[in-house]
Structure formats: structure tokens, C-alpha cells
Amino acid sequence: MPRVGTGTLLPPGADGFWRARVTKTLPDGTSDRPVYSLGTADKALAKRKLAKLASAVDAGKGPDAAAEIADAAQSVTEYANAWLQKRVAQGVVSAADERRRLQRHVLPVIGRLPLCDVRSAHVRAILDEMTLQTRERLKAEDPMGTARTTYSRQSIAHVRATMFRLFVAAWPEELIESNPVARVPTPAMREVRKERVILTDDEFRRLIANPAVDLELRMASLVARCEGGTRTGDLLRWDWTMIDRLHFAECVVPRCKTGTPQSLAIPALLAPFLRAWWERADRPESGPVFPSRKGRNAGRFKSKGSSFASRLRDALFLAGVVRMPAVRVPATHPGTRTDLGKQAQGTKLAPNPADPLYFETATTRPVDFHSFRRAYNTALAEAGVNVQQAMHLAGHSDAKTHLRYVMQTRAMGTVPEAALPRLALPVESSESSRSEAGETAPRAPDPPSAPVESSRPVTIAYMLKKIRERYPRATQESNLRPTAPEPLSILNGRQVLSPHSGSIRDQTRGLVMVARTLRGEVACRPRVRVALIQELVEGVLTSAEVRLAVAVIRAGHPDARLALALRLCDLVDPVVVAEASPSAMEDAG
């Protein structure tokens, strides 16, 4: 049987296009090797056209028909296969996932179309089909709408991104005029973004300390939680040559997802465990840190698809790590054909269906091995590590990824006290004290007051200290920007603050107006309010009239408007006001 010809690629001619020569066997037994112009200056495209030309010649096509087939536009399937081969040769980690997405969702729909004929409508149809078909199927299977969608928005976004990269690669080769995916956004979907549950430190300690749990799983969990939040893929490719086997002070994490090995220090907590694990393996110089333990791959690296998730949940239940009480279920075993009528013998304990560690809830997804990486990143955020260092320790290349963990810390979920309303607590009135003394005469209710901070006697020095702590004087930040407030002597047409403005009653009326202004009952500019506060501190409290007014209040003078003003400004303990006479309280009210 004659060998299938592959043709010969010739250098570009005077027109700059690549050429090809393919052997054609004639009916009389002779051969002919005509030269074909491939019509492109791109070598990669020329090779693909040569392959099509050789296939047409071997199929018995004439030179003209073969040339026409070679010049025909590439189909999406042909270009996608060549693009995927190139991605694999470049060592792209996600090439296998890209092939799976194209074969499952894209090529069955537009695979036969010429690459240049794909439009945005085709791309939109693929994405909408993933969304609508899923919804229709779930509507038939789950009329109440309680089940999860088959494809999340992130899965649909991955398919779109794969198509985008495919057509981006075709555009520089002049196979398409524009990228049809660029105009199609990811379809909007309403879904609840649920986070994975992570173990608390106490739950993690119980897992690691339980001798009934598989030793390899405990060691892998400890490494994933303490050493850079290593992923499962990193552990499966971790080699003893990447670890300092002399002092166990540093190591190299492979970071298989990004393909960028990272050097990190080994924490003091992890070093003795890692040394014991190395000695248990007979001190190997190289080889996998977590090798396969059975099968024909025993002693070698585990396969790429290996997972610890189901083993981890089984180990957690074995260690007694639960958040809801366990329940009794039929004691079925692997291979029990309940569909054929076989019944389980007895019952056994199983995780509670409402336990978030083992089952999906309305807000969370069950724990998996990647939860150790999430716990590591969350612990970095809780510890207050800055973003740059946290990204380096976790191997993140995007700050947005780390900020997701920052948003899940307790500090971000705690409402500061300053953001809460200040509610006045009830103060024991003078009525109760007088009732205890045997007096039954009705008394007017006391006005609402602020909570009592201290039972110590109220003095002028104490009031000065409190007001200066609450309202510090503005400081001048620069000689170009003075910050002292504007002076104030007139408010609403009357003089309210003056050391010598008349009697104590006049001073009291002015202070009542000041108090109402400070409480927001009288409209006033902010700078005016600051000036009032400073005048209270420096102009009023140092005057002899106010000292006399405080003494009058303590003596129970009927005129208690000054006491009310001072109490509203938080200058006098409310107990002092409560000791005033009943007539004074009525007047103040």
C-alpha cells in the first residue's frame, strides 16, 4: 500500500505567500509534483492548508479541486483542534478544561461553520442554551425550584472565556475580521453565591489529634492549613527535592495552577511533623511527598484527578467533628442493591442532613479539602496581614481574590458602636428615693437624662476635664490654613455669651439657647456650634457666675434652667439635676 503523502512546504515566493508541493500519482503510474500557492503569509495557517491539500490529493481530487479545497475557509473544529494542540505544547494548565468545554458546548453547535462566518448571534445562542436548557430541565424535575442549576454563572463564564481566547488567537492570523465573542456578555443569572464552610481551630485540632484518622490525610491537611494554603494539585506534585531536608526551615511550593514555584519558610509548628513524615518514609532524597499507596502506581505521584474531599468528610465524622447531632440511618454498605429489594441490617450513625459541614444549606456549601486554603487566607486577614504579604504567602496574583477573605472576617461583620444610636437609659428618679423615705406626696416626673458615668461629686475642675475631653480645641495644621473658628457674640439677635452680661437669670437664658443650639434644636452653622463649645469651655466655666449657679443648683434653688442647660451639654452629672427642687424641675420641663 503506497504511503500517504504529506506534501512539502516551500518558502514564500515573490508575492510573500507560502507554497507547497504535493505528489500526485497519475493513472499510467507516473507521478506529478505541482506547486500550489497557499495564499497566506502565515506559516501556521500554511501548514494547515497543506494538510488539507494533501488529504484532497490522496482522495483522488484533481489539482484544481484540491487547491479549491485547500483555499476553503477553515471550520471552527479544524481551527480549534490546531489551537488546542498548540496550547498543550505551550504547557497551558487549563488546556484540558478548554478542550472539554469546546467539545461539550461549542463544537456541536458551530463546529461545522467556517471560522469567518461565526457571528455574535451564534455565541449568544450557545450561552443562552446553557442557561435556558438547564432551567427548563430543572422546572420539569423540580417544580418548586429548590434544586441547584446544573451550570452556575461561573461555569457559563468559563465557556465564554474559552471561546473568547479561541477567536482572539484567530484574529492576528487574519482568519476573522473581528472577535464575535467580544460583543456578547455573560448572561445574567440570579443565584445565591454560597461559600464553603471552613473548620474552626478547635475542629481542626480534633481532626489532627485523632489517631483513628488516616495518617496521610492528617499530614496533608496540616500542610494545606499551615504552608501557604497549598492546593490539592500542589500536594500531589510536591517532591522531596523541594524541601530543606537538613533544617526543615524552608521549602518550594509548586503552585501548579499558575506554574510559578514559590519559596516559603516552613512554620515552626509544621517543621517537626514534616521531619517525622520524612523519616517515616526512610529519608528519601527525591520522589513524591504524598505518593500513591496501592495499585500499579504505588510509590509514584498520584494521578491529577485525585481528591481528598470525600475522605476528609468521612474522617471528620470518624473524629466526631459535627455541628449538629448525628442521626440513625439504615446500615447500608457499598454494593447493597436496595433497588432490587435488599434491606439493610440494623442502623448506623450518619451526619445530620442539616449539618453544614457535610451537606449544602441555604447559605453554605459543605467542607472540602480546599477549605483549608480558605481557612489559611481567612486567618491571614484576621491577623491583619497587609494585602501584599498575604497575596505572596497565598500565591494570589489578584488583590480582589484576597479581599474576598478580608470581607469574611469578624471585624468586617461587626458593627462599630459609633454607628449605633445612642439610646438614653432610664435614671432612677427622685420619686423612688422619696418613697423609700416615707413620703407619699405626688411629684412631677423627672426629665429624661443621659446615663450616669460616675457617682463622684461634680466639681468645676471635673466638668472642665470632661468638656475638654469631649470637645478638644481645634489646632492649626498649617500657617497657610488657620483652623480657629470664627468668633461669635450674637445668636438670633441677642447676646448669649458674655462674662458680664447681667444677672444669673440672664446668663441662664443665654445658656438655654446655647444648649438648644448644641442639641440641634436651633438651626446653626457647624462652625458656629464649634465656637459655642469653645466659649463654654473658656468663657463661661471660668466665670464666677457659673460657679455660683452650680452652688445654687446644689442648694435646690427653684430656677433650674441653668442646670438643664448644663445637663444637655453633658457638663453636669444628672444626679445633681435630680436633686433640685420640684418647682425647679417643673420650670425646667
Side-chain angles (χ1 to χ4, degrees):
M1 182 177 179
R3 179 177 63 87
V4 178
T6 57
T8 303
L9 191 65
L10 302 178
D15 56 357
F17 293 155
W18 285 86
R19 300 170 299 168
R21 189 189 295 274
V22 180
T23 302
K24 170 67 175 177
T25 303
L26 301 177
D28 57 0
T30 60
S31 61
D32 185 21
R33 288 176 58 83
V35 176
Y36 299 88
S37 177
L38 299 177
T40 179
D42 184 83
K43 187 175 182 180
L45 180 58
K47 287 182 178 181
R48 292 195 291 271
K49 285 191 172 186
L50 175 58
K52 294 173 62 177
L53 180 63
S55 299
V57 170
D58 289 336
K61 302 292 184 180
D64 295 338
E68 185 178 353
I69 293 175
D71 290 337
Q74 277 187 301
S75 66
V76 177
T77 300
E78 293 172 348
Y79 184 78
N81 291 333
W83 179 71
L84 289 171
Q85 291 177 1
K86 184 178 179 181
R87 300 276 286 180
V88 173
Q90 292 174 344
V92 178
V93 179
S94 60
D97 295 331
E98 291 172 340
R99 181 183 298 276
R100 175 177 51 81
R101 294 176 192 133
L102 290 175
Q103 292 178 348
R104 180 176 298 179
H105 304 290
V106 180
L107 298 183
V109 181
I110 61 173
R112 296 182 179 181
L113 291 178
L115 195 65
C116 58
D117 289 347
V118 178
R119 297 291 181 263
S120 298
H122 298 106
V123 178
R124 187 178 294 107
I126 294 174
L127 301 181
D128 289 344
E129 181 68 16
M130 294 181 64
T131 304
L132 298 178
Q133 184 178 3
T134 300
R135 290 175 179 171
E136 291 297 328
R137 185 181 64 80
L138 289 177
K139 186 176 180 180
E141 298 178 0
D142 184 36
M144 300 301 295
T146 57
R148 289 185 58 195
T149 57
T150 301
Y151 302 111
S152 64
R153 188 178 187 277
Q154 188 66 26
S155 299
I156 299 177
H158 283 318
V159 174
R160 180 192 177 278
T162 301
M163 288 192 291
F164 185 86
R165 290 190 291 268
L166 175 68
F167 286 97
V168 160
W171 182 72
E173 300 178 10
E174 299 181 355
L175 299 178
I176 56 176
E177 295 182 358
S178 61
N179 189 342
V181 187
R183 299 180 180 180
V184 183
T186 303
M189 294 179 59
R190 295 188 62 183
E191 62 177 359
V192 179
R193 299 194 62 177
K194 302 178 181 180
E195 295 291 340
R196 289 277 184 185
V197 175
I198 61 177
L199 299 179
T200 63
D201 289 347
D202 179 65
E203 293 170 340
F204 181 72
R205 282 193 296 267
R206 292 166 61 187
L207 172 68
I208 298 301
N210 195 302
V213 177
D214 181 49
L215 183 60
E216 181 193 45
L217 182 61
R218 286 190 285 164
M219 190 65 204
S221 303
L222 187 62
V223 173
R225 177 61 180 84
C226 300
E227 188 58 67
T230 50
R231 302 178 177 90
T232 303
D234 301 337
L235 293 176
L236 298 182
R237 292 294 171 265
W238 211 19
D239 195 286
W240 285 114
T241 57
M242 303 178 182
I243 301 175
D244 172 22
R245 298 180 303 280
L246 184 60
H247 304 291
F248 285 87
E250 59 182 358
C251 66
V252 175
V253 179
R255 301 297 186 198
C256 296
K257 183 176 181 179
T258 59
T260 306
Q262 182 183 16
S263 179
L264 293 174
I266 298 178
L269 173 67
L270 177 62
F273 293 96
L274 198 57
R275 180 186 291 275
W277 182 253
W278 175 62
E279 293 176 349
R280 187 177 182 274
D282 294 334
R283 301 172 177 263
E285 295 296 326
S286 62
V289 179
F290 298 99
S292 296
R293 295 183 292 177
K294 58 184 179 180
R296 59 183 180 180
N297 265 348
R300 302 179 183 176
F301 287 98
K302 294 179 183 288
S303 60
K304 182 181 178 182
S306 300
S307 174
F308 294 105
S310 60
R311 291 176 57 191
L312 174 62
R313 286 190 284 268
D314 292 341
L316 286 172
F317 190 71
L318 180 63
V321 180
V322 294
R323 296 185 182 179
M324 298 288 290
V327 296
R328 286 281 178 180
V329 297
T332 56
H333 300 281
T336 303
R337 296 295 302 272
T338 55
D339 57 328
L340 298 179
K342 293 186 177 182
Q343 299 294 331
Q345 300 296 327
T347 60
K348 64 179 181 180
L349 287 175
N352 193 314
D355 196 328
L357 288 177
Y358 303 94
F359 297 95
E360 183 174 352
T361 66
T363 57
T364 61
R365 291 187 293 170
V367 68
D368 63 355
F369 196 78
H370 199 74
S371 298
F372 292 125
R373 177 172 174 81
R374 297 184 181 91
Y376 177 79
N377 292 320
T378 304
L380 291 179
E382 292 279 6
V385 179
N386 62 67
V387 176
Q388 291 80 3
Q389 184 181 2
M391 289 176 59
H392 175 73
L393 292 175
H396 286 146
S397 57
D398 190 354
K400 294 181 180 179
T401 305
H402 178 67
L403 290 178
R404 289 178 52 193
Y405 300 101
V406 175
M407 294 300 174
Q408 297 173 10
T409 58
R410 289 184 178 179
M412 296 300 295
T414 303
V415 181
E417 293 186 3
L420 298 176
R422 293 176 175 83
L423 302 178
L425 298 179
V427 178
E428 184 179 4
S429 63
S430 58
E431 180 69 23
S432 59
S433 60
R434 295 179 182 274
S435 298
E436 293 176 358
E439 300 182 13
T440 58
R443 303 296 182 186
D446 293 335
S449 59
V452 180
E453 297 184 0
S454 173
S455 59
R456 58 180 294 181
V458 179
T459 62
I460 295 298
Y462 175 72
M463 290 190 292
L464 277 173
K465 178 181 177 182
K466 297 298 292 183
I467 190 60
R468 283 169 179 164
E469 288 178 355
R470 186 179 295 272
Y471 305 110
R473 182 172 176 80
T475 57
Q476 186 167 332
E477 299 177 354
S478 169
N479 60 334
L480 301 179
R481 296 188 303 275
T483 58
E486 59 188 9
L488 176 72
S489 59
I490 302 298
L491 177 65
N492 290 343
R494 75 171 62 179
Q495 188 173 358
V496 296
L497 287 180
S498 174
H500 309 285
S501 60
S503 66
I504 295 180
R505 180 176 294 274
D506 295 334
Q507 285 278 20
T508 301
R509 291 172 180 171
L511 286 175
V512 169
M513 181 64 70
V514 171
R516 293 182 60 196
T517 303
L518 294 177
R519 299 292 290 183
E521 299 174 6
V522 178
C524 173
R525 288 185 299 171
R527 296 186 64 186
V528 172
R529 187 171 287 110
V530 172
L532 285 173
I533 294 172
Q534 290 190 346
E535 288 291 338
L536 282 173
V537 174
E538 298 180 359
V540 177
L541 292 181
T542 58
S543 64
E545 289 84 356
V546 174
R547 293 192 184 94
L548 177 61
V550 173
V552 168
I553 293 171
R554 288 183 176 278
H557 194 277
D559 193 353
R561 288 194 179 91
L562 179 59
L564 176 62
L566 293 177
R567 183 175 64 80
L568 289 176
C569 297
D570 294 329
L571 302 182
V572 178
D573 197 309
V575 175
V576 176
V577 182
E579 294 175 354
S581 63
S583 59
M585 290 298 99
E586 295 177 0
D587 195 4

